[in-house]
Amino acid sequence: MTEELRHHRPRYSGILLHPTSLPGRYGIGDLGQEAYDFVDFLDRAGQSLWQVLPLGPTGFGDSPYQPYSAFAGQPLFISPDRLYERGLIRKRDLLFKEKAYALTRYREPNFNRYSVDYDQVREYKESILRSAYVGFLSDRHGLGQEFDAFCQSQAYWLDDYALFMALKAQHRGAPWTSWDKSCRNMDGQARKEALRSLGDRADYFRFEQFLFFRQWKALKKYANGKGISIIGDIPIFVSPDGADVWANKELFRLDRDYLPREVAGVPPDYFSETGQLWGNPLYQWNVHRKTGYSWWIARIRKQLELADILRIDHFRGFEAYWAVKRGSETAVGGRWIKGPGASFFRALKKEFGDHLPIIAEDLGVITPAVEKLRDRFGFPGMKILQFAFESGEESDYLPYLYDENCVCYTGTHDNDTALGWYLSTSEENRSRARRYMMCSGDDISWNFIRTAVSSTARYVVFPMQDVLGYGGDCRMNTPGTPSGNWRWRCTREALNPQTADGLRSLCRIYGRDKDRLLHILEESK
């Protein structure tokens, strides 16, 4: 690197917006035109990063951190318009069906523009996807060979997922631990036989995944073509009611009824005085180690098809994780158990090379051992700007104390919005924030963004809600609350040129404009 380039190192900027929050007329954001319009918004705003939450199929509670599979995609993201353009569905299939007595009435979709009603959306989208599958079976629409190739190449996870979902439907959505014994505990041969016997029922779930991955990869290619990288998200744990545990019981700490002996969580922290009781099964790390972490390597390889960078949620769990006895009411009485540590990341480096595109979510109870593990492999950690003003002491979250190798967030999906935080925190904290940022607080969201963008952090990311200056009613998630989360949606009008131009101008001032970044990266080759 030349001396000139040493003073012009890449500085990245991006927006956190989960696809559920995209605009659109079908009740939830999807991978249709609105997603491409958002990429165009990022491009005009000079942004080089688009961060999303986990992209898996959600179950009870609608949390993207409790998907039915660590490999599968969310069928609700499939764009009905793209299916219609491909000829897989008819115009009538896009109408909302209402049953009144023996009659079925059809009307134009009229979903809430500002919030996702998951039950309503599931019913509507499943009807469309079923119609698309019927259309595909009747005339493969030039997709037959592509579908067959997809099923063959993805069989290592897709077969188990499709069978799991078909059996779950057969058991009316009940958790797999309550299924018939023959379905709870199937060996490899029994699963193959069950797949053959279920036929189209399992193939339908394969077809959903084919559509999702086809649409997502097209969108990612479009974003990458504009110099925008996708930051994905991997939850460290998997859902107890999912295909991963059902098909790989030996990888998890289960009792003879296949229930977790202890479950995952975190001790009391910033978000909860009684800790967070997540309920996920814990890993048999000794078994993973004996396999060379093959399941994890396959998982990460799959996610790197969907994203350019991966944020690993609850990174500290690889050093030590909090185990709570099953049945506990809170996470207070848990215990720390050592995780796989450096051996896990050495296995990843051996498989993927020295440069692992990983962001370590290093929030919560962080010890020197966790920091040492993060720094040993050069992973950028996370700095949450809201946290900087919540203590009278000199906080590690104050920007002038940042190491360059970190990601500065105004807030995450678990935080209130910047405006919501400002209005709800103490006057002492508000005063501390105003003094540090030298502002009146009248435009606190953009004061937060400007402070993040001007910091020494190599990467900065801010939720779309902060770009728009929205309050706490637009918060994405409140940890510890079982319902009402993951619902916020952005409107088409909010993604306007004036907002994009303002953000680009700010990024230019502080050396984070995407065009400048691409020039630096090209010059450094």
Side-chain angles (χ1 to χ4, degrees):
M1 183 180 288
T2 66
E3 188 62 30
E4 181 183 357
L5 287 173
R6 289 181 193 278
H7 299 287
H8 294 83
R9 291 178 177 175
R11 284 163 59 79
Y12 302 81
S13 177
I15 292 177
L16 168 60
L17 183 77
H18 197 45
T20 54
S21 298
L22 289 165
R25 67 191 189 103
Y26 299 118
I28 192 171
D30 62 40
L31 307 180
Q33 187 56 49
E34 288 82 3
Y36 288 79
D37 291 344
F38 179 66
V39 171
D40 291 342
F41 174 88
L42 291 171
D43 182 42
R44 179 159 183 160
Q47 302 303 291
S48 53
L49 304 171
W50 176 11
Q51 181 168 336
V52 298
L53 305 181
L55 296 169
T58 54
F60 178 77
D62 309 309
S63 170
Y65 292 90
Q66 297 278 7
Y68 284 132
S69 168
F71 295 82
Q74 171 63 283
L76 298 182
F77 292 163
I78 296 168
S79 165
D81 289 334
R82 293 291 192 258
L83 300 182
Y84 174 71
E85 292 165 6
R86 189 74 201 194
L88 288 166
I89 58 175
R90 303 162 299 174
K91 200 76 171 175
R92 180 173 173 174
D93 293 321
L94 296 172
L95 300 177
F96 195 88
K97 302 176 183 64
E98 290 180 330
K99 291 188 177 180
Y101 302 104
L103 299 175
T104 300
R105 297 173 183 168
Y106 296 87
R107 63 171 173 80
E108 289 290 332
N110 187 26
F111 291 101
N112 191 322
R113 299 174 65 212
Y114 307 104
S115 179
V116 180
D117 182 331
Y118 282 93
D119 290 338
Q120 193 179 47
V121 166
R122 270 194 204 90
E123 180 184 355
Y124 173 72
K125 283 287 186 83
E126 185 171 341
S127 173
I128 288 176
L129 293 171
R130 292 281 179 187
S131 296
Y133 183 55
V134 171
F136 173 73
L137 291 178
S138 63
D139 177 359
R140 307 242 283 181
H141 297 273
L143 295 173
Q145 288 186 345
E146 190 179 343
F147 173 71
D148 293 340
F150 172 80
C151 292
Q152 185 175 355
S153 67
Q154 305 301 311
Y156 68 97
W157 67 268
L158 183 60
D159 286 355
D160 286 338
Y161 171 76
L163 178 57
F164 175 85
M165 295 302 291
L167 290 172
K168 193 169 184 62
Q170 199 173 66
H171 289 84
R172 300 188 177 184
W176 71 267
T177 50
S178 68
W179 295 354
D180 303 334
K181 186 176 181 181
S182 61
C183 296
R184 284 202 313 270
N185 192 17
M186 287 183 170
D187 61 21
Q189 185 57 38
R191 293 206 291 267
K192 288 179 182 178
E193 292 172 2
L195 268 173
R196 284 195 294 268
S197 67
L198 285 167
D200 279 353
R201 293 187 198 178
D203 268 351
Y204 166 73
F205 292 103
R206 287 189 179 105
F207 180 68
E208 281 187 337
Q209 293 304 304
F210 169 69
L211 295 177
F212 168 83
F213 283 101
R214 194 173 193 274
Q215 291 191 2
W216 178 264
K217 288 184 177 181
L219 176 62
K220 181 179 182 295
K221 182 179 180 180
Y222 183 77
N224 290 166
K226 289 182 173 287
I228 297 166
S229 298
I230 307 292
I231 301 178
D233 197 327
I234 291 187
I236 184 174
F237 298 115
V238 298
S239 172
D241 186 28
D244 306 295
V245 184
W246 172 75
N248 304 281
K249 301 176 186 68
E250 72 283 358
L251 298 179
F252 300 89
R253 295 171 57 194
L254 309 175
D255 64 19
R256 28 177 97 166
D257 294 320
Y258 307 124
L259 298 173
R261 296 188 182 94
E262 293 176 297
V263 296
V266 289
D269 62 6
Y270 170 86
F271 293 107
S272 174
E273 293 180 354
T274 58
Q276 297 177 49
L277 190 59
W278 298 332
N280 308 82
L282 301 171
Y283 294 109
Q284 290 274 30
W285 280 117
N286 60 324
V287 177
H288 285 269
R289 190 177 293 110
K290 288 176 182 176
T291 68
Y293 302 101
S294 59
W295 180 86
W296 264 98
I297 285 171
R299 181 186 184 187
I300 289 177
R301 182 183 293 111
K302 186 62 190 170
Q303 293 306 310
L304 285 173
E305 293 178 16
L306 303 179
D308 303 290
I309 303 168
L310 296 177
R311 170 191 177 273
I312 295 189
D313 189 57
H314 199 57
F315 174 83
R316 75 103 52 245
F318 291 101
E319 195 282 321
Y321 52 91
W322 190 249
V324 185
K325 186 177 179 181
R326 188 183 78 236
S328 300
E329 293 185 2
T330 73
V332 172
R335 63 187 180 120
W336 289 109
I337 301 177
K338 278 292 182 181
S343 72
F344 174 76
F345 294 105
R346 283 198 299 268
L348 296 190
K349 284 183 68 173
K350 183 178 179 181
E351 184 69 26
F352 298 106
D354 286 339
H355 178 65
L356 293 173
I358 286 174
I359 294 170
E361 188 268 288
D362 55 349
L363 308 177
V365 182
I366 302 303
T367 64
V370 177
E371 295 173 345
K372 182 178 178 181
L373 181 64
R374 177 200 65 201
D375 295 344
R376 175 174 177 175
F377 293 94
F379 301 144
M382 291 174 55
K383 302 293 185 183
I384 311 304
L385 197 51
Q386 288 182 24
F387 295 169
F389 310 118
E390 295 189 330
S391 169
E393 303 172 357
E394 190 174 62
S395 169
D396 289 341
Y397 294 102
L398 286 166
Y400 72 85
L401 293 173
Y402 291 174
D403 290 327
E404 181 184 345
N405 190 33
C406 71
V407 188
C408 175
Y409 290 82
T410 55
T412 72
H413 61 277
D414 282 335
N415 294 97
D416 204 342
T417 66
L419 177 59
W421 173 86
Y422 185 75
L423 295 177
S424 63
T425 196
S426 68
E427 176 53 34
E428 182 182 7
N429 289 347
R430 284 194 290 268
S431 175
R432 192 177 292 116
R434 289 193 301 267
R435 291 198 308 272
Y436 187 91
M437 296 189 287
M438 299 183 67
C439 67
S440 66
D442 292 339
D443 194 8
I444 197 67
S445 298
W446 275 69
N447 295 145
F448 265 81
I449 291 173
R450 176 180 55 78
T451 302
V453 170
S454 66
S455 75
T456 58
R458 183 173 302 152
Y459 309 89
V460 298
V461 176
F462 16 85
M464 191 67 205
Q465 293 95 316
D466 288 351
V467 176
L468 300 175
Y470 289 167
D473 57 328
C474 296
R475 181 173 183 163
M476 194 63 168
N477 178 51
T478 302
T481 58
S483 61
N485 297 309
W486 320 110
R487 296 178 179 270
W488 178 74
R489 298 188 69 198
C490 182
T491 62
R492 185 176 291 106
E493 295 80 10
L495 302 175
N496 59 69
Q498 292 78 19
T499 301
D501 292 345
L503 196 53
R504 184 175 203 125
S505 177
L506 190 63
C507 286
R508 277 179 175 161
I509 292 171
Y510 294 107
R512 295 189 189 271
D513 178 70
K514 178 168 64 69
D515 291 341
R516 179 181 181 277
L517 169 67
L518 294 176
H519 175 72
I520 291 173
L521 294 176
E522 183 64 30
E523 287 292 315
S524 65
K525 288 181 180 179

